[in-house]
C-alpha cells in the first residue's frame, strides 16, 4: 500500500488515499492509508471479519459484502 501511495504522490495527486484488503488465515481486514503530515504514513484498520470454514458458516458472506461496500464509501 505504501508504494501505491508513493506512486500517487509522485503523480501529483492531491491528498491521495489508498484502500486495501488484507488477509491472514481465515480473517479479512479492510484498511486505508493516507499521509496526515510529511513523512508520516497513517494506516487505519476499518473492519475485520472471519471467513467461513464450512457451509454452515456461509452466513458470513453478507458481512463481507457490507464491509467491502464500507471501504468503497470511505475511500471516495
Amino acid at each position: 500500500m505504501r508504494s501505491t501511495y508513493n506512486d500517487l504522490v509522485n503523480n501529483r495527486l492531491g491528498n491521495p488515499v489508498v484502500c486495501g484488503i488484507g488477509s491472514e488465515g481465515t480473517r479479512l481486514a479492510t484498511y486505508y492509508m493516507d499521509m496526515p503530515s510529511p513523512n508520516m504514513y497513517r494506516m487505519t484498520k476499518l473492519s475485520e471479519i472471519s471467513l467461513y470454514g464450512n457451509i454452515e458458516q456461509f452466513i458470513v458472506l453478507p458481512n463481507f459484502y457490507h464491509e467491502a461496500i464500507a471501504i468503497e464509501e470511505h475511500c471516495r
Side-chain angles (χ1 to χ4, degrees), residues 49 59-68:
I49 63 169
I59 196 165
V60 172
L61 192 56
N63 291 341
F64 176 71
Y65 177 75
H66 174 73
E67 298 301 337

Side-chain angles (χ1 to χ4, degrees), residues 24-52:
E24 185 176 329
T26 61
R27 311 258 330 141
L28 286 180
T30 56
Y31 298 92
Y32 79 93
M33 177 182 277
D34 63 354
M35 187 177 260
S37 63
N39 299 320
M40 187 172 96
Y41 295 92
R42 174 174 54 190
M43 187 164 136
T44 305
K45 183 188 289 187
L46 298 174
S47 64
E48 185 174 336
I49 63 169
S50 180
L51 292 178
Y52 54 90

Side-chain angles (χ1 to χ4, degrees), residues 3-4 11 13 16-18 20-22 29 33 37-38 44 49 56-57 62 69 76:
S3 64
T4 301
N11 290 326
L13 184 67
V17 173
V18 176
I21 298 174
M33 177 182 277
S37 63
T44 305
I49 63 169
E56 287 82 25
Q57 297 172 336
I69 295 299
R76 284 186 182 181

